[in-house]
Amino acid sequence: MKAGIVGLPNVGKSTLFNCLSNAKAQSANFPFCTIEPNVGVVNVPDSRIAKLEELVKPERVQMATVDIVDIAGLVRGASKGEGLGNQFLANIRETDAIIHVIRCFDNDNIVHVDTTVDPVRDKETIDIELQLKDFETLEKRLERVKKTARTGNKEAQKELDVLLKVKEGLEAAISVRAIDFTEKEREEYIKPLQFITDKPTLYVCNVDEDAAVDGNAYVDALKEAVKDENAEIIMLAVGMEADITELESYEERQMFLEDMGLQEPGSSVLIRAAYKLLNQQTYFTAGVKEVRAWTINIGDSAPQAAGVIHTDFEKGFIRAEVIAYDDFVKFGSEAKVKEAGKMRVEGKEYIVKDGDVMHFRFNV
């Protein structure tokens, strides 16, 4: 699962990506690796794993990760191949969610591609290019469905109604994710077409230092513009994040954050938001060999969670032994949790909860 960082040129995308790539930025021990020139595997900050490490004292610790992709700046006309448009659109189609960075600060030394700072206009520039690309996808599908619907095919007629609704929305500059469909319509007719503007989206307002805590008028304007979208907004002072990465020790970085009135780097907030945006959550395994955070989709069953460790675990699943994270911390060890009768045995139907500490019993 990948989240792609998008935006106009010079809005702070690559600076943000570089902040994420600097291990010092998020915690005392926060590794990152680049698997391609513009793809980074970033650990998801989670205070729970530090607590489990403290209690279990394992030989090693493995955190959950999320893939972040730095995508080239988009310009007006990209849908027709302007700039790096074709490459951009191919890259963004391969991601599962969009992190849209928007400039929300004034600085005469940093040139804006459209000369003035206007977050709402900038958002719309990107939206329009993506919507135009989606329109191409829609028209190809519409052509085929119309032919089938004319033969009296009931299923094609249902799909046609949904696609015409998409057409109406895109023509009104409304992204697919903001168009109202039933869950069944989305699952059957929208998802298979992989519309770019249907991808879950997080807007990152790149603000200056003074607006890092409370925002500014630019942020307020953008919030108003996206209020009807199914999207989240966070604020991040990307320049300040870059300064934090320059500090040598974890203690220095914490002092800097306290002076700014922040509890943690904004990049940590962003990574967790991206993880959530991708519909992902964490369960833990905790033993003396390893404490590990495992990534699963929200709503996954116990056998599906077991399959993340090894496919044999899912195939031969018998049961899961489950401890709620809060109970593990409260009693301090697996043995004491068992003594207190707080370990549960769950079967194939169990839906895993975020933070569950689990052991799987299986037979292949």
Side-chain angles (χ1 to χ4, degrees):
M1 300 287 278
K2 295 178 184 174
I5 301 177
V6 307
L8 294 172
N10 292 343
V11 295
K13 297 185 312 303
S14 293
T15 305
L16 175 59
F17 183 80
N18 291 338
C19 287
L20 299 178
S21 73
N22 189 310
K24 296 187 297 182
Q26 284 71 38
S27 70
N29 180 24
F30 199 71
F32 169 102
C33 70
T34 300
I35 55 176
E36 289 175 29
N38 67 332
V39 181
V41 182
V42 187
N43 279 359
V44 179
D46 192 333
S47 59
R48 295 175 300 184
I49 203 160
K51 188 66 182 174
L52 289 173
E53 182 183 10
E54 180 189 315
L55 294 170
V56 178
K57 298 179 173 54
E59 291 174 19
R60 60 182 177 270
V61 174
Q62 179 70 50
M63 296 172 78
T65 62
V66 63
D67 287 7
I68 305 289
V69 187
D70 183 20
I71 295 173
L74 185 66
V75 295
R76 195 173 279 108
S79 58
K80 297 182 180 68
E82 293 293 328
L84 292 170
N86 291 329
Q87 181 189 325
F88 172 97
L89 293 161
N91 288 344
I92 199 170
R93 203 179 284 283
E94 288 171 12
T95 65
D96 303 285
I98 295 170
I99 299 168
H100 186 166
V101 182
I102 299 176
R103 178 172 167 175
C104 293
F105 65 89
D106 292 309
N107 186 331
D108 293 338
N109 295 321
I110 300 173
V111 176
H112 191 290
V113 70
D114 284 327
T115 68
T116 57
V117 177
D118 185 340
V120 176
R121 177 204 60 209
D122 293 353
K123 171 201 171 295
E124 287 170 354
T125 297
I126 298 276
D127 283 352
I128 288 166
E129 295 305 322
L130 300 185
Q131 287 161 5
L132 286 168
K133 204 67 186 171
D134 278 350
F135 206 84
E136 283 179 27
T137 303
L138 174 72
E139 285 188 316
K140 286 174 190 170
R141 182 65 187 165
L142 256 178
E143 204 175 310
R144 289 197 293 273
V145 173
K146 277 179 180 175
K147 284 178 185 173
T148 313
R150 279 197 290 268
T151 68
N153 183 298
K154 292 278 193 332
E155 193 56 37
Q157 287 168 352
K158 282 182 195 171
E159 184 176 357
L160 181 60
D161 289 342
V162 172
L163 295 182
L164 289 173
K165 199 171 174 182
V166 175
K167 185 172 187 280
E168 190 182 319
L170 290 173
E171 285 175 342
I174 298 169
S175 292
V176 176
R177 68 178 167 273
I179 302 171
D180 190 28
F181 296 108
T182 66
E183 201 171 313
K184 189 176 181 219
E185 286 170 340
R186 276 201 181 276
E187 203 60 42
E188 290 186 18
Y189 307 122
I190 301 298
K191 281 190 179 175
L193 293 174
Q194 296 183 302
F195 291 118
I196 298 172
T197 65
D198 191 41
K199 293 180 189 290
T201 298
L202 169 70
Y203 292 105
V204 177
C205 299
N206 183 9
V207 297
D208 55 24
E209 221 172 87
D210 295 338
V213 177
D214 298 318
N216 56 28
Y218 290 138
V219 174
D220 294 340
L222 192 63
K223 282 181 178 176
E224 179 63 25
V226 305
K227 66 181 180 185
D228 295 327
E229 284 188 38
N230 183 20
E232 188 183 344
I233 286 188
I234 64 170
M235 293 178 304
L236 202 64
V238 175
M240 187 177 76
E241 296 289 322
D243 291 341
I244 293 171
T245 66
E246 296 299 318
L247 299 172
E248 288 302 317
S249 72
Y250 179 67
E251 289 71 25
E252 279 181 299
R253 295 190 291 280
Q254 290 306 110
M255 283 174 62
F256 185 100
L257 289 166
E258 282 170 23
D259 287 346
M260 295 305 303
L262 298 169
Q263 293 183 325
E264 61 179 342
S267 45
S268 294
V269 177
L270 169 62
I271 295 162
R272 281 198 300 274
Y275 193 65
K276 184 181 169 189
L277 194 67
L278 290 163
N279 195 44
Q280 296 185 320
Q281 66 178 17
T282 301
Y283 78 86
F284 301 103
T285 51
V288 290
K289 287 283 183 192
E290 181 182 67
V291 164
R292 181 162 183 164
W294 298 90
T295 299
I296 57 171
N297 292 320
I298 294 170
D300 274 359
S301 65
Q304 287 172 313
V308 173
I309 299 176
H310 198 288
T311 51
D312 285 351
F313 282 31
E314 183 172 2
K315 287 175 191 168
F317 180 89
I318 300 170
R319 66 179 184 272
E321 295 169 355
V322 184
I323 302 170
Y325 169 79
D326 289 342
D327 285 337
F328 199 106
V329 172
K330 179 181 175 182
F331 294 102
S333 73
E334 187 179 312
K336 287 179 182 173
V337 169
K338 283 181 181 174
E339 280 173 31
K342 291 291 186 179
M343 177 182 278
R344 308 190 312 275
V345 176
E346 301 286 359
K348 291 182 177 181
E349 305 303 314
Y350 178 67
I351 301 302
V352 179
K353 295 180 177 62
D354 186 55
D356 278 349
V357 181
M358 306 181 78
H359 286 299
F360 299 105
R361 302 298 176 193
F362 69 102
N363 183 26
V364 177

